[in-house]
Amino acid sequence: MMKQMVMQRIAIGFATLAVVSVIVFVMTSWLPGDVASIILGQAATPETLAALRAQLGTDQPLIYQYIGWLGNMATGDLGISKAGGATISSLIESRIGNTMMMAGLVALISIPISIALGLWAAMHPGTWLDRMVTFGTLSTISVPEFLIATILVLILAVNLQWLPSTTYLTGEETLGQLLKAIAMPLFTLVIVVSAQMIRMTRAGILNVMNSPYIEMAILKGVPRKRIILRHAFFNAIGPIVNVIALNLAYLVSGVVIVETIFSYPGLAKLMIDAVQTRDLPLVQACAMIFCGVYVVLIILADVASILSNPRLRQPK
Amino acid sequence: MKDKILQNELKYENLDHVDKGIVDKVVRGGYTRRDALKLMVATGITMAAAENILYSGSVAYAATPKKGGSVRMANPIHGPDDQTDPMMFTSGIDYARGRAVLNGLVQHANDLSPQPELATSFEPNSDATEWTFKLRKGVEWHDGTKFTADDVVWSMNRHLSEDSTSVIKSVLVTVKEWKKVGSHEVKAVMHSPNSDLPTLLGMFQNKVIKDGTKGDWIGTGPFTMESFQPGVKSVHKRNENYWREGANLDACEITAITDPVARVNALIAGDIQIMSNVDPKSFRQVESASDRVTLLSTPAALQLGICILKNTKPGESDDFVKGMQYIQDRKRVVKRILKGKGSLGNDTPISASHGADWCSELPQREFDPDKAKFHFKKSGYSGADLFVAPVTAGIEDTCLLAQANCAKIGFKLNLKKVPNDGYWGAVWMKEPLNVVTWNQRPTANSQLALQFGPGGNWNDTFWNNDRMGELLSLSLAETDPAKRHAHFCEMQTLVHEGSGMVIPAFSNINDGIANNVMNMPTVPLGQCGAMEWPEFIWLA
């Protein structure tokens, strides 16, 4: 049953990748200008444009370019960046580690904190503690992340000079140095993603708390702590893991603003740069990674919901 | 009396650190000489003593470069399109890397005169149809092979071929081909005489690469390329086998921080030592951290331009162009938008930074709403659309100011804001009114030819004037300074009167450096002394 569901999801995942690749390819080519005119920029002349297009193969019709890309992809060759001439695998290789490390560390810190704080707030609804958590999370959700990042830089880097203002990785630092170097973006992202997860945990549990079986448990005199941890939490896991999955996907693909402010070489910024230079193969490679991550995380979230809630295993 | 004698013996070395700070700032361009003299005289020393201190300060700096240390430099832009081939260099980060790893035949001094680099001498024949370059002997590539004439012929001819994608292909149209004369001698055979050729060879893209390669970061330059990650950073070590005295720094790293606020914060926090391109909005923040960093402002002909296409409506009406020119409140642009770090534009691309070729006698066009109103009315237009992208700092605010002033005289100037992304291909030279910026070119002739040469590739107002074409060739061949100046003045007058170009102001080149960075070059052709810094700076 479960196996069939997972296989089905994986098949849908591949179909999604194919559709996304076509959409991204077509949309990027609709943007004004092409890779040759962007590289040459203000210095472009009709002759140099034509020469560069011929050299890069971008004078071919779009459909041929797409088929060529698909063919390469099938053999595992990501191709060469049209904009700079580096191999796409080398461009991605150096950044995918950075992105995964940051996403992993943020998840490692923020998921336990969020669930703990969410549970805590749900156990004591209406108290000053709950209000503080609610107020804090609402505030950080409403403040854009670039503002949080800039304020942190002004305080911690420029005024106090405790932490570096940009994350500068040499690849040879010790764990301590590494943590210090990435502390600022890490801190910013933990604040940004925790807020949502805390709210979702609290709301999910309070929602379950209104159901009749909880009322029954209360009437039987079960302590509130036990009700939440034993009875409510597992029923609320479905929505919580989905929010966690979406936040993780965001950490991989959507943190471009934080990457820009801290000059952290990650994948999201690479994709934006690729779009800006109309570097189709590179855009495609990034899009495939992001889409793949979404698909995998959503499958995992579904599996987790089903495992935690036996009712979902039976098709209605 | 005794006091006076003592004061005259005051030298830089004897000052306390506060006074040294003032001198340091002048020597490195932070204060003008006049401000510093005023400051020092205000503290009670005589003018002569102040002059003496300033002089000894410059000498102290020039004389004692220290070896060692490493510098991290941040540009405003990088990405997967960071180039490895000098022929394709288009952004500051490429220029900086090119300057660190490679050499040209010729390089620019601060006053833009061409200085020998890999060429030890360069001579034209009598009618400037051939230029002969003697090459430096004993120079080695970073991989240990010898530098010869073959490398130069290969590097230079790459710009000229039929299918060349060189960014400066059309700048070098006067060159027919490069030929090897001996193992260390080459000549350039010209289509037409060009007395500016050595100066053009100092351009960023004219770096010499190894025979048969496309650059690939093997050079003869003061630094080697240790690692190169496009869109992340490059790491460089001093080339111990350099043919000149060699760099003072042990190492340098060249990267970019694309967010302008983050870049300033990184400079002040000490994470970077050189910051390319400080936005006028951040001047105050940089200046208020003067205990750590210095704002370097180099006067340059970095133009804030509005192009009005002459070959279509509404620009084909001379009155419309005049209206747009008179409505520019130039003094306010320089004072408020550029925060004083700029100079007035006179609707020609030539400024005082071009030296003797600038036509200072051409009357300055003033802000005159009445004349603007008169010309707009005569043109028959009551409104127009201007396409604006943030192509250079201050251009958007300049257009907003023009819009407000137009509104006061009943002219409706619509600003169509567009992003930088794709601007040069989709908007510039296409929409009837658009904005432009150009870095200063090494010579007034190349600057004028670039934008106003009849039929040129970048004639961005589509103004074709036959007399302009004649004067461009005449001035290249003219050796008499007075006649040459007359030619240049006539050209600037033609552009000022007839073209579709509105240039309200020129911006200085504004960069930030940490206070311990010494001997920063000030070549006005681009950010950070046209990136001449890697070989020459040192850390105090």
Side-chain angles (χ1 to χ4, degrees):
Chain A
M1 183 66 224
M2 185 75 133
K3 200 172 152 198
Q4 193 194 345
M5 194 272 314
V6 172
M7 294 305 287
Q8 197 186 4
R9 292 292 160 96
I10 290 175
I12 296 176
F14 274 104
T16 315
L17 281 177
V19 173
V20 167
S21 76
V22 175
I23 294 177
V24 170
F25 211 88
V26 173
M27 299 287 259
T28 313
S29 68
W30 278 353
L31 292 171
D34 68 338
V35 63
S37 68
I38 303 272
I39 294 180
L40 293 169
Q42 199 178 1
T45 67
E47 306 94 73
T48 51
L49 273 178
L52 190 57
R53 278 178 190 142
Q55 224 176 68
L56 296 173
T58 52
D59 52 348
Q60 304 284 322
L62 204 59
I63 179 83
Y64 289 123
Q65 292 184 47
Y66 181 76
I67 292 172
W69 171 81
L70 206 61
N72 281 342
M73 203 59 180
T75 60
D77 175 12
L78 293 175
I80 286 173
S81 158
K82 301 271 187 207
T87 59
I88 289 175
S89 48
S90 74
L91 287 173
I92 286 180
E93 189 187 8
S94 67
R95 289 160 181 263
I96 202 163
N98 290 340
T99 288
M100 293 303 169
M101 175 176 73
M102 183 64 77
L105 285 174
V106 172
L108 211 63
I109 298 171
S110 61
I111 293 176
I113 290 181
S114 313
I115 292 183
L117 273 178
L119 282 172
W120 198 9
M123 276 182 220
H124 313 280
T127 60
W128 66 270
L129 203 147
D130 176 41
R131 277 163 207 228
M132 236 173 64
V133 170
T134 308
F135 177 77
T137 51
L138 269 180
S139 316
T140 43
I141 287 176
S142 343
V143 178
E145 61 205 63
F146 66 82
L147 189 61
I148 296 179
T150 308
I151 289 173
L152 285 179
V153 169
L154 278 178
I155 296 173
L156 295 176
V158 175
N159 287 328
L160 298 175
Q161 299 202 317
W162 288 347
L163 293 170
S165 67
T166 51
T167 46
Y168 208 80
L169 304 178
T170 59
E172 288 156 12
E173 48 272 283
T174 61
L175 186 67
Q177 288 168 327
L178 181 74
L179 286 179
K180 193 176 172 190
I182 63 170
M184 297 278 266
L186 189 64
F187 201 26
T188 310
L189 287 173
V190 165
I191 292 177
V192 171
V193 299
S194 297
Q196 263 193 13
M197 293 195 283
I198 294 172
R199 285 192 66 74
M200 201 60 208
T201 310
R202 180 182 174 277
I205 289 181
L206 287 181
N207 193 30
V208 177
M209 293 297 279
N210 287 330
S211 44
Y213 76 95
I214 297 285
E215 203 173 331
M216 186 65 197
I218 294 171
L219 290 175
K220 278 170 75 182
V222 184
R224 191 171 171 88
K225 196 171 159 191
R226 189 176 158 82
I227 294 179
I228 288 182
L229 294 181
R230 275 299 296 247
H231 303 281
F233 182 58
F234 287 98
N235 280 300
I237 271 184
I240 295 173
V241 288
N242 271 298
V243 169
I244 291 177
L246 285 177
N247 272 304
L248 285 180
Y250 159 79
L251 284 175
V252 172
S253 63
V255 293
V256 61
I257 292 170
V258 172
E259 284 181 9
T260 305
I261 290 182
F262 295 107
S263 186
Y264 185 76
L267 278 180
K269 182 74 177 15
L270 183 66
M271 169 127 177
I272 302 288
D273 288 342
V275 172
Q276 280 180 348
T277 49
R278 314 289 186 265
D279 192 345
L280 283 172
L282 187 55
V283 174
Q284 289 289 74
C286 294
M288 291 301 98
I289 292 175
F290 295 157
C291 190
V293 168
Y294 263 89
V295 169
V296 169
L297 285 171
I298 290 193
I299 292 176
L300 286 179
D302 283 352
V303 171
S305 325
I306 293 171
L307 285 179
S308 71
N309 190 342
R311 278 177 303 173
L312 292 176
R313 285 176 219 165
Q314 304 302 326
K316 286 192 181 129
Chain B
M1 188 62 207
K2 195 185 165 203
D3 204 2
K4 255 202 169 151
I5 292 170
L6 268 181
Q7 282 206 353
N8 280 336
E9 282 166 0
L10 269 179
K11 288 255 164 71
Y12 174 79
E13 295 81 25
N14 312 330
L15 297 176
D16 70 57
H17 74 279
V18 177
D19 291 333
K20 266 190 181 161
I22 299 177
V23 180
D24 292 355
K25 277 216 150 174
V26 190
V27 176
R28 300 157 54 202
Y31 288 131
T32 65
R33 188 180 172 78
R34 218 165 121 187
D35 289 345
L37 288 176
K38 255 198 231 160
L39 268 172
M40 284 195 274
V41 171
T43 62
I45 54 179
T46 63
M47 195 59 151
E51 289 272 8
N52 194 17
I53 291 168
L54 269 193
Y55 174 74
S56 59
S58 337
V59 172
Y61 268 125
T64 52
K66 249 172 43 187
K67 287 259 174 191
S70 120
V71 152
R72 191 178 293 152
M73 186 258 182
N75 292 278
I77 308 174
H78 66 167
D81 56 336
D82 287 359
Q83 302 295 327
T84 55
D85 183 345
M87 182 169 96
M88 303 304 290
F89 284 177
T90 44
S91 116
I93 198 164
D94 299 333
Y95 303 157
R97 287 176 180 143
R99 202 55 271 189
V101 178
L102 308 168
N103 289 120
L105 288 176
V106 175
Q107 73 189 125
H108 297 298
N110 285 350
D111 66 357
L112 294 182
S113 59
Q115 302 293 326
E117 196 174 353
L118 284 179
T120 51
S121 70
F122 31 90
E123 293 291 332
N125 64 356
S126 58
D127 55 355
T129 51
E130 270 185 22
W131 279 83
T132 305
F133 293 79
K134 292 237 164 58
L135 304 177
R136 201 170 291 278
K137 288 179 182 155
V139 177
E140 283 186 3
W141 295 94
H142 294 160
D143 63 4
T145 50
K146 297 256 180 285
F147 159 77
T148 68
D150 293 322
D151 302 314
V152 176
V153 171
W154 162 258
S155 307
M156 295 296 143
N157 276 333
R158 291 178 74 221
H159 296 282
L160 311 177
S161 69
E162 187 87 349
D163 58 350
S164 162
T165 56
S166 168
V167 169
I168 51 168
K169 187 179 180 183
S170 43
V171 178
L172 298 171
V173 282
T174 49
V175 187
K176 187 165 169 235
E177 77 175 310
W178 289 77
K179 281 185 176 156
K180 180 175 173 176
V181 178
S183 74
H184 286 86
E185 189 172 332
V186 296
K187 67 176 178 184
V189 184
M190 312 295 289
H191 283 299
S192 58
N194 189 343
S195 53
D196 282 344
L197 181 66
T199 313
L200 296 180
L201 293 179
M203 291 178 80
F204 304 112
Q205 292 83 358
N206 270 322
K207 298 285 171 275
V208 178
I209 56 175
K210 218 180 135 170
D211 188 13
T213 69
K214 288 184 173 178
D216 311 325
W217 297 128
I218 295 171
T220 53
F223 286 91
T224 56
M225 178 67 85
E226 293 295 306
S227 80
F228 172 64
Q229 290 174 274
V232 183
K233 64 173 172 183
S234 61
V235 181
H236 308 267
K237 280 219 172 83
R238 177 169 57 215
N239 174 10
E240 302 293 351
N241 191 23
Y242 193 49
W243 51 270
R244 219 167 359 208
E245 195 179 327
N248 296 309
L249 303 171
D250 291 336
C252 64
E253 295 185 0
I254 299 172
T255 182
I257 300 176
T258 45
D259 183 63
V261 178
R263 202 158 67 248
V264 171
N265 285 334
L267 178 73
I268 296 176
D271 295 332
I272 56 173
Q273 288 72 42
I274 303 178
M275 165 190 174
S276 168
N277 204 335
V278 181
D279 190 272
K281 292 188 177 83
S282 300
F283 286 169
R284 204 189 293 170
Q285 198 195 349
V286 174
E287 282 171 335
S288 68
S290 63
D291 55 327
R292 296 185 225 168
V293 297
T294 304
L295 179 65
L296 281 187
S297 195
T298 309
L302 178 62
Q303 53 180 274
L304 276 67
I306 299 172
C307 299
I308 304 172
L309 271 47
K310 287 297 290 175
N311 60 349
T312 179
K313 284 177 180 175
E316 58 189 12
S317 152
D318 287 337
D319 281 300
F320 177 82
V321 177
K322 284 276 164 315
M324 285 294 289
Q325 289 171 334
Y326 279 117
I327 203 64
Q328 305 299 325
D329 191 347
R330 295 155 202 261
K331 287 184 181 138
R332 204 177 162 85
V333 171
V334 173
K335 194 170 168 205
R336 295 284 170 221
I337 297 174
L338 300 176
K339 318 272 186 202
K341 303 208 186 294
S343 51
L344 293 179
N346 201 11
D347 303 325
T348 90
I350 308 302
S351 85
S353 315
H354 283 98
D357 294 334
W358 176 49
C359 185
S360 57
E361 52 269 48
L362 184 66
Q364 173 65 46
R365 189 167 275 140
E366 302 288 344
F367 173 49
D368 192 335
D370 292 334
K371 275 192 189 163
K373 192 172 178 180
F374 166 79
H375 284 292
F376 277 137
K377 192 163 179 209
K378 210 170 145 205
S379 76
Y381 293 98
S382 58
D385 291 341
L386 168 59
F387 282 73
V388 186
V391 291
T392 187
I395 188 75
E396 289 174 302
D397 290 338
T398 302
C399 293
L400 279 170
L401 179 63
Q403 182 185 39
N405 284 328
C406 280
K408 284 184 198 154
I409 57 166
F411 185 84
K412 195 164 164 40
L413 185 65
N414 294 319
L415 299 191
K416 302 263 184 193
K417 290 213 177 187
V418 289
N420 262 345
D421 183 25
Y423 180 81
W424 300 114
V427 178
W428 178 61
M429 294 187 74
K430 297 214 164 51
E431 296 298 339
L433 273 76
N434 61 67
V435 292
V436 74
T437 185
W438 289 98
N439 259 334
Q440 181 176 339
R441 300 288 141 156
T443 63
N445 188 286
S446 54
Q447 187 101 49
L448 287 162
L450 177 84
Q451 284 177 277
F452 301 101
N457 279 315
W458 300 303
N459 186 327
D460 46 13
T461 60
F462 293 89
W463 174 70
N464 290 305
N465 184 300
D466 294 339
R467 177 66 185 156
M468 189 75 193
E470 271 172 47
L471 285 164
L472 281 170
S473 331
L474 281 175
S475 64
L476 267 188
E478 186 57 66
T479 47
D480 177 58
K483 280 189 190 157
R484 182 182 157 105
H485 185 77
H487 288 327
F488 275 104
C489 242
E490 189 181 345
M491 283 193 274
Q492 286 164 64
T493 310
L494 282 172
V495 171
H496 175 88
E497 291 299 332
S499 83
M501 199 53 148
V502 185
I503 301 179
F506 296 103
S507 171
N508 289 2
I509 290 173
N510 300 306
D511 302 307
I513 56 171
N515 281 347
N516 64 339
V517 174
M518 300 293 155
N519 198 26
M520 189 76 182
T522 56
V523 182
L525 301 181
Q527 300 296 142
C528 298
M531 299 298 168
E532 291 284 342
W533 58 269
E535 187 175 340
F536 304 108
I537 59 166
W538 51 278
L539 295 177

